[in-house]
Amino acid sequence: MALIVQKYGGTSVGTVERIQAVAQRVKKTVAEGHSLVVVVSAMGKTTDGLVKLAHEISTHPSRREMDMLLSTGEQVSIALLSMALQELDQPAISLTGAQVGIVTEAHHTRARILSIETERIQRHLQQGEVVVVAGFQGISSTTDLEITTLGRGGSDTSAVALAAALQADACEIYTDVPGILTADPRIVPDAQLMSEITSDEMLELASLGAKVLHPRAVEIARNYGVTLVVRSSWEDAPGTRVVSPIPQARPLEGLELVHPVDAVEFDTDQAKIALLRVPDRPGVAARLFGEIALQNLDVDLIIQSIHEGNTNDIAFTVTQSSLHRAEAVAAAIAPALRNHADPTLGEAEVMVERQIAKVSIAGAGMIGRPGVAAQMFATLAAADVNIQMISTSEVKVSCAIDAADCDRAIAALCKEFEVTSSPANLEKWGDRSQEMAPIVRGAALDLNQARLAIRHVPDRPGMAAQLFRLLAGKGISVDMIIQSQRCRLINGVTTRDIAFTVAQADADAAQTALKEASPELGCSEVTVDRAIAKVSVVGTGMIGRPGVAAKMFEAFAQQQINIQMIATSEIKISCVVAEEEGVRALQAVHAAFGLAGTEQFQVPA
Ligand code: ASP
Ligand code: MG
C-alpha cells in the first residue's frame, strides 16, 4: 500500500462533471489499495475572476486582502470534491491550508512554505478517509492565523511539499496536457511527449515549463527526492516522470528554500578563447563551433554579445588540455572571417587566456528574485575578484575569473550565500544516467523579453554589481546577462559592454534607471531592443559531449538566422535572435535535435 499525493489543476475541476470524474479516479486509486491526499486548485478560471473583481474595486488592493480573496477559490473546490467522493461512498474530508498546518513566510501573495504539520492528515488517513487539501494557501503563523498564498500556480508547490512532508511514495500532478512536451505544441506541432525529464532540466526550462509545473514544485521534488509525475486528467497514459538524484537528507523545517542559492560550483580546469570582431551575420558561430566539434573538442561556456557596428565577439572556454587545439582552430578560421562589410576592421583577432576558473551559483530560488546575480557580483567585487565573463541561465549564474582568484571567490560566495557543500553536477547524476540521457531533451522560445545594452562600462571589480543592484532595487529581475570580451579604451579607462535581457514590461524602467545612473557609473549609452526572441535547448546529456552548440548554430545558419547573443550553462544553450525569427528558430532546433515526432497533441484552449 502506497501513500500518494494527487494534484488536480483548475481545468480538471472546472465543472461539476469534471469534479465527479476526478472523484471517480480518486476512488479507483483508493480501491487499488492506496492512501490518498488530494490537492486541488480553484475551479477553472476562478482565480483570474477574483483578481479581476479586486481590480474593479481598487487599483492597488492590499496583498493581505488579495490573499483573503484568492484563497476562497480553493475552498470551494475542496468542499465540492469531498462531497463528490462522499456521494461515491468514499469517506473524505476537506481541509484548508490553515487546518492542515501549512506554515509559510509572512509574505502575502508570494509566501514560501516553511513547514507542514502532518499529524492531522495522518489521523484522517488512518481512518480510511481521503484528505482533500486546498492548494496554493497556507498560514503565516499559528497565533494570528493569517492566510497567505504561494503565488499564482502555487498549488503544484503545495502538492509536492505535502508529498515531501508526508514522505509519500509519489506525487502525481494531473493536468490538461498529457505531460511535458519537447516544445510548446502551439509553435511546434510535432512536439513530442517526454517520458522522463530530470529536475535540473525542468528547472532550466522554467520559463517554458512554468505553465505545466510551478518551478518551486520542481525544486522541492529535487531537494527531497519526491517521485513526481505529470499526466493527463482525461486519460490513463503514464505521462512524464520528473526524476531527481537521490538527495542528501534534509530537515523538513524551512521546507522551501529560504536561501536563493543552493550550491556554489567551480571548475578550475578552464581556458578561454575569444574571437574579436567576427562579422555579425548568419553562420559565423556555426562555422567556428563546427570546426571545433570536428576536432572533438568539448566547449563549456560560450558567450556572444552584440556590439555597435557590424561585428561580434565570441568567447568560449575549453579544458586546459584542449586549449592548444582549440586555439589552432580559432587561429585558422580567423582569416576566413574577414569582415566584408567594413574592410577597415580587418580580420577577427584571437585572444587567449590560459588559466581561468569558472565559479557558479545555482538554485531555483533565484527565479523571480531580483538581486541574486547582483549579490554574486558584489561578493566577488568585495573579494577583489575581477569578472571576465558572465553567463546566466534561469537557475545559474556563472562567472569566468582568473584561476588565481578561484579559492578566494569560492570562500566568499559560500559565506555570502550560506552554502557549505559544492556538489559537482556530473558526480551527482553518476555516469550511467549521463550516458543514457538524450543530448537535448527539449527546446523553448521566450518572446517576452527585451534586450538592454550598456556601453563602455569601466572594467574594474564592482561595476556589474552596481548595475544589477540598481535594477534589483527597482524590483527588476534580469534574465540573461552577458559581459562582452571586447575592451575599449575610453579616456584612458578600459571599458567593456554589458548586455542583458529583462521582461518586456520592465524594459523602460530598467533603461531609465540605468540612464540616470550612467554619468556616476562612468558608462555611456544604454540601448533597448524589444524585438528579440530567446531560443534555448536543454539537456543533461550535453555535458561532456562535443558538438552540441555547433549543431544548434548550424540549424540557425541553414535558416539564415543571425544570432545576436549566446549564453550557456552546463545543460543549456540560449541564443537571442530577432523576434520575427523566433518561431522559425525554435522549429529549426527542435527538428535538428531529432525531437520531432508524428504524434499530435491537443492544445488546451
Ligand atoms: N488557483 C491558483 C492560481 O490560479 C493556484 C493554482 O491554480 O495553482 O494561480
Ligand atoms: Mg498550474
Side-chain angles (χ1 to χ4, degrees):
M1 187 174 111
L3 171 58
I4 299 173
V5 176
Q6 293 188 338
K7 181 256 170 180
Y8 293 89
T11 22
S12 309
V13 293
T15 61
V16 166
E17 292 71 34
R18 287 183 179 176
I19 290 175
Q20 287 166 332
V22 167
Q24 292 284 2
R25 186 179 273 242
V26 169
K27 189 177 167 157
K28 202 177 107 208
T29 315
V30 175
E32 284 161 10
H34 305 305
S35 291
L36 226 63
V37 173
V38 181
V39 176
V40 284
S41 298
M43 289 173 72
K45 301 249 175 265
T46 303
T47 312
D48 290 334
L50 293 171
V51 170
K52 194 161 160 279
L53 267 181
H55 286 285
E56 280 170 25
I57 301 254
S58 159
T59 46
H60 289 291
S62 96
R63 288 177 179 273
R64 180 188 184 275
E65 302 309 330
M66 281 309 275
D67 278 353
M68 262 330 215
L69 181 67
L70 298 194
S71 59
T72 61
E74 273 71 14
Q75 200 169 330
V76 171
S77 43
I78 52 170
L80 292 176
L81 178 58
S82 198
M83 289 174 198
L85 285 164
Q86 289 163 7
E87 277 302 306
L88 298 175
D89 292 324
Q90 170 58 55
I93 181 167
S94 63
L95 297 175
T96 64
Q99 287 174 312
V100 170
I102 299 180
V103 181
T104 72
E105 300 172 317
H107 296 300
H108 284 294
T109 75
R110 51 175 175 207
R112 283 169 185 256
I113 299 175
L114 296 176
S115 63
I116 296 182
E117 317 267 323
T118 53
E119 191 268 332
R120 181 157 183 199
I121 293 182
Q122 299 283 16
R123 196 162 26 130
H124 290 294
L125 289 174
Q126 263 150 32
Q127 289 160 9
E129 289 167 312
V130 167
V131 185
V132 184
V133 179
F136 177 55
Q137 55 175 264
I139 37 161
S140 70
S141 78
T142 32
T143 46
D144 279 347
L145 302 180
E146 274 296 297
I147 296 177
T148 52
T149 65
L150 310 181
R152 296 304 306 272
S155 33
D156 296 339
T157 298
S158 309
V160 181
L162 274 162
L166 292 163
Q167 298 180 337
D169 297 284
C171 181
E172 301 170 348
I173 308 283
Y174 287 89
T175 179
D176 50 6
V177 291
I180 297 155
L181 302 185
T182 52
D184 184 340
R186 277 167 296 203
I187 306 170
V188 184
D190 53 8
Q192 289 306 289
L193 180 68
M194 302 174 191
S195 58
E196 204 175 273
I197 184 170
T198 67
S199 46
D200 284 329
E201 292 165 329
M202 195 63 210
L203 286 169
E204 284 285 16
L205 284 168
S207 61
L208 169 88
K211 287 166 220 145
V212 187
L213 205 49
H214 208 224
R216 280 160 56 188
V218 180
E219 183 186 58
I220 299 170
R222 185 185 58 174
N223 290 344
Y224 292 92
V226 175
T227 303
L228 184 60
V229 181
V230 180
R231 52 196 291 211
S232 165
S233 307
W234 327 125
E235 38 190 272
D236 272 327
T240 305
R241 287 169 61 87
V242 180
V243 297
S244 298
I246 296 155
Q248 291 171 348
R250 225 175 157 112
L252 283 160
E253 274 309 309
L255 201 144
E256 273 203 81
L257 269 194
V258 188
H259 299 305
V261 171
D262 216 21
V264 172
E265 297 167 357
F266 63 94
D267 181 354
T268 48
D269 181 21
Q270 297 228 321
K272 178 180 82 179
I273 298 181
L275 263 91
L276 307 189
R277 289 186 298 276
V278 299
D280 183 25
R281 62 164 187 253
V284 171
R287 175 101 197 261
L288 171 63
F289 291 101
E291 291 289 336
I292 287 177
L294 278 181
Q295 299 289 320
N296 219 23
L297 298 173
D298 184 31
V299 174
D300 185 21
L301 278 185
I302 302 177
I303 66 164
Q304 180 201 292
S305 195
I306 42 128
H307 283 283
E308 65 269 71
N310 292 314
T311 65
N312 285 326
D313 300 341
I314 300 180
F316 58 95
T317 64
V318 291
T319 58
Q320 281 160 15
S321 61
S322 346
L323 174 66
H324 229 66
R325 282 187 297 153
E327 189 181 353
V329 173
I333 206 170
L337 296 179
R338 189 175 291 280
N339 203 301
H340 298 290
D342 182 356
T344 58
L345 286 172
E347 285 179 7
E349 177 191 334
V350 180
M351 210 175 81
V352 174
E353 195 90 49
R354 275 165 213 289
Q355 293 203 326
I356 62 155
K358 179 179 75 175
V359 289
S360 312
I361 54 170
M366 64 178 77
I367 297 173
R369 278 203 201 177
V372 179
Q375 199 181 346
M376 176 187 198
F377 304 151
T379 306
L380 292 177
D384 202 26
V385 174
N386 196 28
I387 303 169
Q388 299 185 13
M389 275 162 89
I390 300 170
S391 183
T392 57
S393 74
E394 314 256 355
V395 290
K396 189 171 252 192
V397 185
S398 300
C399 296
I401 58 173
D402 195 320
D405 293 338
C406 189
D407 288 346
R408 230 167 56 246
I410 295 163
L413 291 171
C414 284
K415 182 151 175 270
E416 175 72 16
F417 291 109
E418 297 173 44
V419 169
T420 43
S421 65
S422 306
N425 256 326
L426 272 169
E427 284 167 27
K428 198 169 60 178
W429 285 98
D431 289 338
R432 201 182 56 92
S433 56
Q434 203 51 42
E435 267 165 37
M436 295 188 328
I439 293 179
V440 166
R441 188 89 68 168
L445 172 67
D446 188 344
L447 290 169
N448 214 354
Q449 302 210 354
R451 184 192 63 211
L452 280 91
I454 317 161
R455 307 264 178 234
H456 309 151
V457 181
D459 185 27
R460 59 169 182 261
M463 288 310 295
Q466 282 188 49
L467 292 172
F468 292 106
R469 208 157 36 196
L470 186 73
L471 296 174
K474 309 259 179 219
I476 298 171
S477 277
V478 175
D479 182 34
M480 196 163 148
I481 302 175
I482 294 178
Q483 176 181 279
S484 76
Q485 288 312 295
R486 190 175 308 184
C487 289
R488 278 168 158 266
L489 220 53
I490 306 280
N491 301 330
V493 180
T494 317
T495 68
R496 289 181 198 267
D497 298 349
I498 294 184
F500 59 93
T501 62
V502 295
Q504 271 173 13
D506 289 333
D508 285 333
Q511 187 181 28
T512 311
L514 290 171
K515 267 195 172 148
E516 276 167 14
S518 55
E520 193 192 321
L521 295 170
C523 331
S524 60
E525 228 192 338
V526 183
T527 61
V528 184
D529 185 354
R530 280 183 186 72
I532 60 153
K534 186 178 91 175
V535 182
S536 312
V537 296
V538 170
T540 36
M542 69 175 71
I543 301 174
R545 288 222 188 100
V548 182
K551 196 163 178 172
M552 179 176 192
F553 304 152
E554 181 54 39
F556 292 156
Q558 271 173 14
Q559 296 287 319
Q560 290 291 307
I561 293 170
N562 193 31
I563 305 169
Q564 301 178 2
M565 281 165 69
I566 304 169
T568 63
S569 77
E570 285 84 355
I571 62 167
K572 181 177 191 179
I573 307 168
S574 295
C575 295
V576 169
V577 300
E579 184 170 31
E580 73 262 20
E581 292 177 334
V583 167
R584 218 152 40 87
L586 178 69
Q587 290 166 344
V589 291
H590 191 266
F593 286 103
L595 300 177
T598 48
E599 229 176 314
Q600 296 287 313
F601 287 95
Q602 276 227 309
V603 183

